[in-house]
Each structure stands twice: as structure tokens, then as C-alpha cells.
Amino acid sequence: MNETAKTFDEIVNNRRSIRIFDTEHQLDEGVVKRSIERAILAPNSSNLQLWEFYRIKSDEAKNAVVPICLNQNAAKTASELVVFVSRPDLWRKRIKANVENLKKTGLKRETITGGSPFDYYEKMLPQLYNTDLPLIRDFAKKIVLLSKGNKPFVQEVMSKDVPVIAQKSVALAAQTFMLSIKAEGYDSCPMEGYDSKKMKKYLKLPAKAEINMVVGVGKGKPEGRYGDRFRIPNEEVIFEL
């Protein structure tokens, strides 16, 4: 194991969900800023980056968000909270950004080995992400799937699958963020205990936006670690074929 791997191993092993933070500690704002910027580098589906990150920094914002997070300790004592949001509704804007980036590279529109990336963004992805008239679109997709017979084909292409795809990418960003926070010498706690409707209303999010998770950040206190880490034995979850 090289030194980089050893450092990463230490970060992963030391990261714990800390539910009580030191409210007297002054958090370096750069820690959260750098960690969000690293989170943006996380892998995501088709590089559409269908995510947004909301830093809850001010006392006013925290006073509004903590009750929405059910007044749990990880929210009440956090120096900052970051709300991770999926935005599948932004697919048109993100496709356009990717196409513009392809143009800047000087890549030609002609089909290349493996298919044209322009066709992928301009033809294939709109068929997946456009969820207008879902019943009609899903019926047409089912016909296409049936025509594939027993050939391997991506099955998760229905309207209901689009939000799930976006949420997966946001979760990857959240994990990158939490590992970065640990690398910076601080602690975090991901929370699913919140009122999603009130959170969306407070953040003024559109209907199709979804809250992925809320992460509390701060200097963890020893009592904020609720017990020793427990994991199911590896042989019950790791399989080799």
C-alpha cells in the first residue's frame, strides 16, 4: 500500500457520523467551500451534474432549517449545514452546456467509434430525461424494450427512473464532500430526518427538485460518536464470481 492509499485509508476509517458538534469552535469557512468544490468533481451520470448545494451558514438560515431537520442534535450543534439537492428538471440546460463544451474541443459531429457524443447528448439523453407526458413516453419505451428480446439493454429508462438516476449522482457528491470534511480535520453527519416539503419551500425549489440529504458539519465532540462502529461481516456482503 502506497502513502496515498494509507492516507485515504486513514480518512475512510476515521470518518464517522458525529451527532454532536462543539458549538464553541469557530469553523474555518474555507473547509466547507473547498469540500463542496471537491464534491463537484464527483462522478455523475452522463456528466449532467444535476445537483445543487445549499450552504446554511447564517444564524437566520440555521434557525429556519434546524426545526425542519426535526431539531436533532446533528443539526442544532452544527457549525454549518449543507443541503444536497438533485435537479433532474435542469436536464435541458445541462445538456446544452455539455454540447457547448464538446464544440469547444473541436470535436466533429461525424459519427466516431462508439457513436457520436453529439448524438448521445442531443438525441438519446432527451428521450430519457424528458418526462413530459409520462404515460405516452413510457408506453413507447416499453415497446422499444420488448423489441430487444433477450438482448442486454438498459431497463431503467422510464419516467420514474429519472429522479433515481439524479439522486445516485448527488449521493456520490455527498460522500465525496464528507470524506473531504474528514480530510480537513472536521466531522460531518448525513441526515435523512427532515421535512422535505418544508425544506423545499424554504429553499424555494421547484416541484421536480428533490432533497437528497442534509449534512451537518463541525468539530465533533467525543460524545457525538454514538457507540463503536458496526458493520455486517465482509463475507456476507462481498462476493467474487
Side-chain angles (χ1 to χ4, degrees), residues 102-138:
L102 286 173
K103 291 177 181 178
K104 291 178 183 177
T105 66
L107 190 67
K108 303 299 182 182
R109 283 186 173 272
E110 290 80 6
T111 301
I112 59 175
T113 302
S116 169
F118 285 100
D119 285 347
Y120 179 74
Y121 280 105
E122 295 176 329
K123 297 179 181 179
M124 291 181 63
L125 287 184
Q127 293 178 29
L128 171 62
Y129 282 94
N130 191 341
T131 56
D132 296 337
L133 303 174
L135 293 178
I136 296 174
R137 291 182 180 278
D138 285 354

mmCIF file of all heavy atoms in Angstrom, residues 102-138:
data_model
loop_
_atom_site.group_PDB
_atom_site.id
_atom_site.type_symbol
_atom_site.label_atom_id
_atom_site.label_comp_id
_atom_site.label_asym_id
_atom_site.label_seq_id
_atom_site.Cartn_x
_atom_site.Cartn_y
_atom_site.Cartn_z
ATOM 1 N N LEU A 102 -18.411 20.309 -25.904
ATOM 2 C CA LEU A 102 -17.928 19.454 -26.994
ATOM 3 C C LEU A 102 -17.489 20.304 -28.191
ATOM 4 O O LEU A 102 -16.477 20.012 -28.828
ATOM 5 C CB LEU A 102 -19.021 18.480 -27.423
ATOM 6 C CG LEU A 102 -19.324 17.313 -26.477
ATOM 7 C CD1 LEU A 102 -20.541 16.540 -26.974
ATOM 8 C CD2 LEU A 102 -18.122 16.383 -26.365
ATOM 9 N N LYS A 103 -18.257 21.342 -28.472
ATOM 10 C CA LYS A 103 -17.909 22.220 -29.596
ATOM 11 C C LYS A 103 -16.569 22.907 -29.367
ATOM 12 O O LYS A 103 -15.779 23.081 -30.291
ATOM 13 C CB LYS A 103 -19.006 23.269 -29.797
ATOM 14 C CG LYS A 103 -20.316 22.698 -30.301
ATOM 15 C CD LYS A 103 -21.376 23.791 -30.406
ATOM 16 C CE LYS A 103 -22.697 23.239 -30.894
ATOM 17 N NZ LYS A 103 -23.762 24.290 -30.948
ATOM 18 N N LYS A 104 -16.304 23.286 -28.119
ATOM 19 C CA LYS A 104 -15.046 23.962 -27.797
ATOM 20 C C LYS A 104 -13.842 23.055 -28.012
ATOM 21 O O LYS A 104 -12.733 23.540 -28.263
ATOM 22 C CB LYS A 104 -15.071 24.458 -26.349
ATOM 23 C CG LYS A 104 -16.036 25.609 -26.103
ATOM 24 C CD LYS A 104 -16.035 26.004 -24.633
ATOM 25 C CE LYS A 104 -17.037 27.108 -24.359
ATOM 26 N NZ LYS A 104 -17.091 27.461 -22.911
ATOM 27 N N THR A 105 -14.050 21.753 -27.880
ATOM 28 C CA THR A 105 -12.937 20.816 -28.058
ATOM 29 C C THR A 105 -12.571 20.647 -29.523
ATOM 30 O O THR A 105 -11.531 20.067 -29.847
ATOM 31 C CB THR A 105 -13.282 19.430 -27.475
ATOM 32 O OG1 THR A 105 -14.341 18.841 -28.235
ATOM 33 C CG2 THR A 105 -13.692 19.547 -26.008
ATOM 34 N N GLY A 106 -13.449 21.119 -30.422
ATOM 35 C CA GLY A 106 -13.192 20.972 -31.844
ATOM 36 C C GLY A 106 -13.628 19.632 -32.387
ATOM 37 O O GLY A 106 -13.359 19.303 -33.549
ATOM 38 N N LEU A 107 -14.338 18.848 -31.569
ATOM 39 C CA LEU A 107 -14.799 17.530 -31.990
ATOM 40 C C LEU A 107 -15.831 17.668 -33.101
ATOM 41 O O LEU A 107 -16.740 18.486 -33.028
ATOM 42 C CB LEU A 107 -15.405 16.792 -30.793
ATOM 43 C CG LEU A 107 -15.727 15.315 -30.980
ATOM 44 C CD1 LEU A 107 -14.445 14.515 -31.157
ATOM 45 C CD2 LEU A 107 -16.504 14.791 -29.778
ATOM 46 N N LYS A 108 -15.675 16.862 -34.146
ATOM 47 C CA LYS A 108 -16.595 16.907 -35.281
ATOM 48 C C LYS A 108 -17.869 16.135 -34.961
ATOM 49 O O LYS A 108 -17.882 15.235 -34.142
ATOM 50 C CB LYS A 108 -15.930 16.317 -36.523
ATOM 51 C CG LYS A 108 -14.628 17.010 -36.917
ATOM 52 C CD LYS A 108 -14.843 18.480 -37.255
ATOM 53 C CE LYS A 108 -13.537 19.140 -37.684
ATOM 54 N NZ LYS A 108 -13.702 20.585 -37.963
ATOM 55 N N ARG A 109 -18.948 16.509 -35.645
ATOM 56 C CA ARG A 109 -20.232 15.865 -35.410
ATOM 57 C C ARG A 109 -20.335 14.490 -36.068
ATOM 58 O O ARG A 109 -21.220 13.711 -35.755
ATOM 59 C CB ARG A 109 -21.369 16.736 -35.926
ATOM 60 C CG ARG A 109 -21.676 17.902 -35.006
ATOM 61 C CD ARG A 109 -22.903 18.645 -35.492
ATOM 62 N NE ARG A 109 -23.302 19.657 -34.516
ATOM 63 C CZ ARG A 109 -24.125 19.432 -33.502
ATOM 64 N NH1 ARG A 109 -24.621 18.230 -33.336
ATOM 65 N NH2 ARG A 109 -24.444 20.391 -32.668
ATOM 66 N N GLU A 110 -19.406 14.192 -37.007
ATOM 67 C CA GLU A 110 -19.485 12.918 -37.690
ATOM 68 C C GLU A 110 -19.361 11.776 -36.688
ATOM 69 O O GLU A 110 -18.663 11.879 -35.690
ATOM 70 C CB GLU A 110 -18.366 12.789 -38.745
ATOM 71 C CG GLU A 110 -18.539 13.708 -39.946
ATOM 72 C CD GLU A 110 -18.095 15.135 -39.651
ATOM 73 O OE1 GLU A 110 -17.548 15.359 -38.555
ATOM 74 O OE2 GLU A 110 -18.314 16.011 -40.505
ATOM 75 N N THR A 111 -20.041 10.687 -36.992
ATOM 76 C CA THR A 111 -20.009 9.523 -36.114
ATOM 77 C C THR A 111 -18.581 9.021 -35.958
ATOM 78 O O THR A 111 -17.844 8.883 -36.929
ATOM 79 C CB THR A 111 -20.885 8.395 -36.673
ATOM 80 O OG1 THR A 111 -22.212 8.868 -36.795
ATOM 81 C CG2 THR A 111 -20.849 7.183 -35.742
ATOM 82 N N ILE A 112 -18.193 8.760 -34.726
ATOM 83 C CA ILE A 112 -16.870 8.219 -34.438
ATOM 84 C C ILE A 112 -17.048 6.848 -33.814
ATOM 85 O O ILE A 112 -18.167 6.395 -33.582
ATOM 86 C CB ILE A 112 -16.082 9.135 -33.474
ATOM 87 C CG1 ILE A 112 -16.848 9.302 -32.142
ATOM 88 C CG2 ILE A 112 -15.826 10.495 -34.093
ATOM 89 C CD1 ILE A 112 -16.076 10.081 -31.112
ATOM 90 N N THR A 113 -15.950 6.179 -33.562
ATOM 91 C CA THR A 113 -16.023 4.848 -32.970
ATOM 92 C C THR A 113 -16.811 4.893 -31.668
ATOM 93 O O THR A 113 -16.506 5.676 -30.774
ATOM 94 C CB THR A 113 -14.607 4.303 -32.693
ATOM 95 O OG1 THR A 113 -13.885 4.278 -33.915
ATOM 96 C CG2 THR A 113 -14.677 2.886 -32.128
ATOM 97 N N GLY A 114 -17.819 4.055 -31.588
ATOM 98 C CA GLY A 114 -18.642 4.035 -30.379
ATOM 99 C C GLY A 114 -19.827 4.975 -30.446
ATOM 100 O O GLY A 114 -20.638 5.023 -29.526
ATOM 101 N N GLY A 115 -19.959 5.731 -31.556
ATOM 102 C CA GLY A 115 -21.089 6.635 -31.696
ATOM 103 C C GLY A 115 -20.718 8.069 -31.395
ATOM 104 O O GLY A 115 -19.782 8.351 -30.659
ATOM 105 N N SER A 116 -21.448 9.002 -31.970
ATOM 106 C CA SER A 116 -21.166 10.415 -31.796
ATOM 107 C C SER A 116 -21.626 10.915 -30.429
ATOM 108 O O SER A 116 -22.778 10.691 -30.042
ATOM 109 C CB SER A 116 -21.859 11.226 -32.887
ATOM 110 O OG SER A 116 -21.808 12.607 -32.596
ATOM 111 N N PRO A 117 -20.760 11.603 -29.691
ATOM 112 C CA PRO A 117 -21.189 12.177 -28.406
ATOM 113 C C PRO A 117 -22.271 13.237 -28.600
ATOM 114 O O PRO A 117 -23.089 13.467 -27.708
ATOM 115 C CB PRO A 117 -19.903 12.764 -27.830
ATOM 116 C CG PRO A 117 -18.993 12.946 -28.993
ATOM 117 C CD PRO A 117 -19.342 11.856 -29.959
ATOM 118 N N PHE A 118 -22.282 13.884 -29.778
ATOM 119 C CA PHE A 118 -23.335 14.865 -30.045
ATOM 120 C C PHE A 118 -24.695 14.169 -30.121
ATOM 121 O O PHE A 118 -25.689 14.663 -29.583
ATOM 122 C CB PHE A 118 -23.042 15.608 -31.354
ATOM 123 C CG PHE A 118 -21.943 16.617 -31.243
ATOM 124 C CD1 PHE A 118 -20.665 16.313 -31.683
ATOM 125 C CD2 PHE A 118 -22.168 17.871 -30.691
ATOM 126 C CE1 PHE A 118 -19.635 17.234 -31.580
ATOM 127 C CE2 PHE A 118 -21.146 18.810 -30.579
ATOM 128 C CZ PHE A 118 -19.881 18.483 -31.027
ATOM 129 N N ASP A 119 -24.737 13.010 -30.791
ATOM 130 C CA ASP A 119 -25.989 12.264 -30.862
ATOM 131 C C ASP A 119 -26.418 11.805 -29.472
ATOM 132 O O ASP A 119 -27.614 11.784 -29.156
ATOM 133 C CB ASP A 119 -25.822 11.040 -31.777
ATOM 134 C CG ASP A 119 -25.799 11.419 -33.251
ATOM 135 O OD1 ASP A 119 -26.160 12.568 -33.570
ATOM 136 O OD2 ASP A 119 -25.407 10.569 -34.068
ATOM 137 N N TYR A 120 -25.448 11.431 -28.663
ATOM 138 C CA TYR A 120 -25.752 10.971 -27.312
ATOM 139 C C TYR A 120 -26.452 12.072 -26.522
ATOM 140 O O TYR A 120 -27.485 11.826 -25.869
ATOM 141 C CB TYR A 120 -24.463 10.555 -26.602
ATOM 142 C CG TYR A 120 -24.667 10.082 -25.185
ATOM 143 C CD1 TYR A 120 -25.236 8.836 -24.918
ATOM 144 C CD2 TYR A 120 -24.293 10.870 -24.096
ATOM 145 C CE1 TYR A 120 -25.435 8.393 -23.619
ATOM 146 C CE2 TYR A 120 -24.480 10.436 -22.789
ATOM 147 C CZ TYR A 120 -25.050 9.197 -22.562
ATOM 148 O OH TYR A 120 -25.245 8.774 -21.271
ATOM 149 N N TYR A 121 -25.898 13.290 -26.585
ATOM 150 C CA TYR A 121 -26.475 14.393 -25.808
ATOM 151 C C TYR A 121 -27.726 14.996 -26.449
ATOM 152 O O TYR A 121 -28.654 15.392 -25.745
ATOM 153 C CB TYR A 121 -25.426 15.487 -25.590
ATOM 154 C CG TYR A 121 -24.467 15.160 -24.479
ATOM 155 C CD1 TYR A 121 -23.159 14.753 -24.750
ATOM 156 C CD2 TYR A 121 -24.850 15.223 -23.147
ATOM 157 C CE1 TYR A 121 -22.266 14.439 -23.719
ATOM 158 C CE2 TYR A 121 -23.981 14.915 -22.116
ATOM 159 C CZ TYR A 121 -22.686 14.520 -22.407
ATOM 160 O OH TYR A 121 -21.825 14.200 -21.384
ATOM 161 N N GLU A 122 -27.741 15.054 -27.766
ATOM 162 C CA GLU A 122 -28.837 15.757 -28.433
ATOM 163 C C GLU A 122 -30.017 14.852 -28.802
ATOM 164 O O GLU A 122 -31.137 15.343 -29.008
ATOM 165 C CB GLU A 122 -28.318 16.446 -29.684
ATOM 166 C CG GLU A 122 -27.316 17.561 -29.373
ATOM 167 C CD GLU A 122 -26.727 18.194 -30.612
ATOM 168 O OE1 GLU A 122 -26.588 17.497 -31.643
ATOM 169 O OE2 GLU A 122 -26.403 19.394 -30.565
ATOM 170 N N LYS A 123 -29.794 13.529 -28.870
ATOM 171 C CA LYS A 123 -30.867 12.624 -29.277
ATOM 172 C C LYS A 123 -31.228 11.611 -28.193
ATOM 173 O O LYS A 123 -32.399 11.460 -27.839
ATOM 174 C CB LYS A 123 -30.475 11.893 -30.563
ATOM 175 C CG LYS A 123 -30.286 12.820 -31.757
ATOM 176 C CD LYS A 123 -29.878 12.036 -33.002
ATOM 177 C CE LYS A 123 -29.665 12.972 -34.199
ATOM 178 N NZ LYS A 123 -29.257 12.224 -35.409
ATOM 179 N N MET A 124 -30.225 10.924 -27.656
ATOM 180 C CA MET A 124 -30.509 9.852 -26.704
ATOM 181 C C MET A 124 -30.952 10.368 -25.336
ATOM 182 O O MET A 124 -31.969 9.943 -24.792
ATOM 183 C CB MET A 124 -29.276 8.947 -26.562
ATOM 184 C CG MET A 124 -28.964 8.117 -27.789
ATOM 185 S SD MET A 124 -27.526 7.056 -27.526
ATOM 186 C CE MET A 124 -28.118 5.997 -26.194
ATOM 187 N N LEU A 125 -30.166 11.290 -24.767
ATOM 188 C CA LEU A 125 -30.484 11.764 -23.418
ATOM 189 C C LEU A 125 -31.829 12.473 -23.327
ATOM 190 O O LEU A 125 -32.553 12.284 -22.333
ATOM 191 C CB LEU A 125 -29.364 12.654 -22.894
ATOM 192 C CG LEU A 125 -28.069 11.931 -22.501
ATOM 193 C CD1 LEU A 125 -27.073 12.904 -21.899
ATOM 194 C CD2 LEU A 125 -28.338 10.788 -21.516
ATOM 195 N N PRO A 126 -32.224 13.289 -24.324
ATOM 196 C CA PRO A 126 -33.553 13.902 -24.233
ATOM 197 C C PRO A 126 -34.677 12.866 -24.174
ATOM 198 O O PRO A 126 -35.696 13.101 -23.516
ATOM 199 C CB PRO A 126 -33.637 14.738 -25.515
ATOM 200 C CG PRO A 126 -32.215 15.107 -25.800
ATOM 201 C CD PRO A 126 -31.427 13.873 -25.426
ATOM 202 N N GLN A 127 -34.499 11.725 -24.831
ATOM 203 C CA GLN A 127 -35.508 10.681 -24.776
ATOM 204 C C GLN A 127 -35.650 10.123 -23.361
ATOM 205 O O GLN A 127 -36.736 9.719 -22.947
ATOM 206 C CB GLN A 127 -35.151 9.553 -25.746
ATOM 207 C CG GLN A 127 -35.210 9.952 -27.207
ATOM 208 C CD GLN A 127 -34.801 8.813 -28.127
ATOM 209 O OE1 GLN A 127 -34.976 7.646 -27.797
ATOM 210 N NE2 GLN A 127 -34.257 9.156 -29.281
ATOM 211 N N LEU A 128 -34.541 10.096 -22.625
ATOM 212 C CA LEU A 128 -34.575 9.581 -21.259
ATOM 213 C C LEU A 128 -35.093 10.626 -20.284
ATOM 214 O O LEU A 128 -35.973 10.334 -19.458
ATOM 215 C CB LEU A 128 -33.172 9.130 -20.837
ATOM 216 C CG LEU A 128 -32.995 8.766 -19.346
ATOM 217 C CD1 LEU A 128 -33.886 7.580 -18.977
ATOM 218 C CD2 LEU A 128 -31.535 8.463 -19.040
ATOM 219 N N TYR A 129 -34.566 11.843 -20.358
ATOM 220 C CA TYR A 129 -34.834 12.841 -19.323
ATOM 221 C C TYR A 129 -36.113 13.636 -19.527
ATOM 222 O O TYR A 129 -36.603 14.262 -18.591
ATOM 223 C CB TYR A 129 -33.640 13.795 -19.190
ATOM 224 C CG TYR A 129 -32.510 13.186 -18.410
ATOM 225 C CD1 TYR A 129 -31.467 12.523 -19.040
ATOM 226 C CD2 TYR A 129 -32.501 13.232 -17.012
ATOM 227 C CE1 TYR A 129 -30.434 11.936 -18.316
ATOM 228 C CE2 TYR A 129 -31.477 12.653 -16.281
ATOM 229 C CZ TYR A 129 -30.448 12.015 -16.939
ATOM 230 O OH TYR A 129 -29.436 11.424 -16.215
ATOM 231 N N ASN A 130 -36.664 13.611 -20.721
ATOM 232 C CA ASN A 130 -37.924 14.324 -20.946
ATOM 233 C C ASN A 130 -39.064 13.505 -20.343
ATOM 234 O O ASN A 130 -39.442 12.455 -20.860
ATOM 235 C CB ASN A 130 -38.157 14.541 -22.442
ATOM 236 C CG ASN A 130 -39.310 15.502 -22.695
ATOM 237 O OD1 ASN A 130 -40.148 15.740 -21.822
ATOM 238 N ND2 ASN A 130 -39.361 16.068 -23.886
ATOM 239 N N THR A 131 -39.599 13.971 -19.241
ATOM 240 C CA THR A 131 -40.678 13.250 -18.546
ATOM 241 C C THR A 131 -42.044 13.904 -18.750
ATOM 242 O O THR A 131 -42.989 13.612 -18.019
ATOM 243 C CB THR A 131 -40.363 13.140 -17.036
ATOM 244 O OG1 THR A 131 -40.158 14.452 -16.502
ATOM 245 C CG2 THR A 131 -39.118 12.291 -16.803
ATOM 246 N N ASP A 132 -42.145 14.801 -19.738
ATOM 247 C CA ASP A 132 -43.452 15.345 -20.087
ATOM 248 C C ASP A 132 -44.297 14.216 -20.703
ATOM 249 O O ASP A 132 -43.771 13.342 -21.395
ATOM 250 C CB ASP A 132 -43.312 16.488 -21.093
ATOM 251 C CG ASP A 132 -42.550 17.676 -20.531
ATOM 252 O OD1 ASP A 132 -42.516 17.808 -19.291
ATOM 253 O OD2 ASP A 132 -41.962 18.441 -21.318
ATOM 254 N N LEU A 133 -45.584 14.216 -20.461
ATOM 255 C CA LEU A 133 -46.488 13.175 -20.957
ATOM 256 C C LEU A 133 -45.924 11.781 -20.648
ATOM 257 O O LEU A 133 -45.685 10.966 -21.535
ATOM 258 C CB LEU A 133 -46.694 13.329 -22.471
ATOM 259 C CG LEU A 133 -47.232 14.683 -22.949
ATOM 260 C CD1 LEU A 133 -47.244 14.754 -24.460
ATOM 261 C CD2 LEU A 133 -48.634 14.914 -22.399
ATOM 262 N N PRO A 134 -45.692 11.486 -19.375
ATOM 263 C CA PRO A 134 -45.017 10.242 -18.989
ATOM 264 C C PRO A 134 -45.716 8.968 -19.448
ATOM 265 O O PRO A 134 -45.045 7.999 -19.824
ATOM 266 C CB PRO A 134 -44.959 10.332 -17.463
ATOM 267 C CG PRO A 134 -46.041 11.295 -17.084
ATOM 268 C CD PRO A 134 -46.087 12.277 -18.193
ATOM 269 N N LEU A 135 -47.040 8.922 -19.431
ATOM 270 C CA LEU A 135 -47.740 7.697 -19.828
ATOM 271 C C LEU A 135 -47.470 7.349 -21.286
ATOM 272 O O LEU A 135 -47.204 6.189 -21.635
ATOM 273 C CB LEU A 135 -49.251 7.849 -19.591
ATOM 274 C CG LEU A 135 -49.690 7.963 -18.128
ATOM 275 C CD1 LEU A 135 -51.202 8.155 -18.045
ATOM 276 C CD2 LEU A 135 -49.283 6.716 -17.351
ATOM 277 N N ILE A 136 -47.520 8.367 -22.137
ATOM 278 C CA ILE A 136 -47.281 8.142 -23.569
ATOM 279 C C ILE A 136 -45.823 7.763 -23.820
ATOM 280 O O ILE A 136 -45.525 6.799 -24.541
ATOM 281 C CB ILE A 136 -47.655 9.402 -24.382
ATOM 282 C CG1 ILE A 136 -49.158 9.686 -24.254
ATOM 283 C CG2 ILE A 136 -47.259 9.239 -25.841
ATOM 284 C CD1 ILE A 136 -49.601 10.984 -24.889
ATOM 285 N N ARG A 137 -44.911 8.509 -23.196
ATOM 286 C CA ARG A 137 -43.480 8.247 -23.407
ATOM 287 C C ARG A 137 -43.078 6.876 -22.859
ATOM 288 O O ARG A 137 -42.317 6.139 -23.483
ATOM 289 C CB ARG A 137 -42.635 9.350 -22.759
ATOM 290 C CG ARG A 137 -42.753 10.694 -23.445
ATOM 291 C CD ARG A 137 -41.866 11.752 -22.809
ATOM 292 N NE ARG A 137 -41.994 13.021 -23.485
ATOM 293 C CZ ARG A 137 -41.347 13.357 -24.607
ATOM 294 N NH1 ARG A 137 -40.520 12.483 -25.142
ATOM 295 N NH2 ARG A 137 -41.521 14.523 -25.163
ATOM 296 N N ASP A 138 -43.603 6.520 -21.686
ATOM 297 C CA ASP A 138 -43.246 5.234 -21.091
ATOM 298 C C ASP A 138 -43.807 4.073 -21.909
ATOM 299 O O ASP A 138 -43.169 3.028 -22.025
ATOM 300 C CB ASP A 138 -43.744 5.160 -19.656
ATOM 301 C CG ASP A 138 -42.897 5.996 -18.703
ATOM 302 O OD1 ASP A 138 -41.868 6.534 -19.140
ATOM 303 O OD2 ASP A 138 -43.274 6.113 -17.522
#
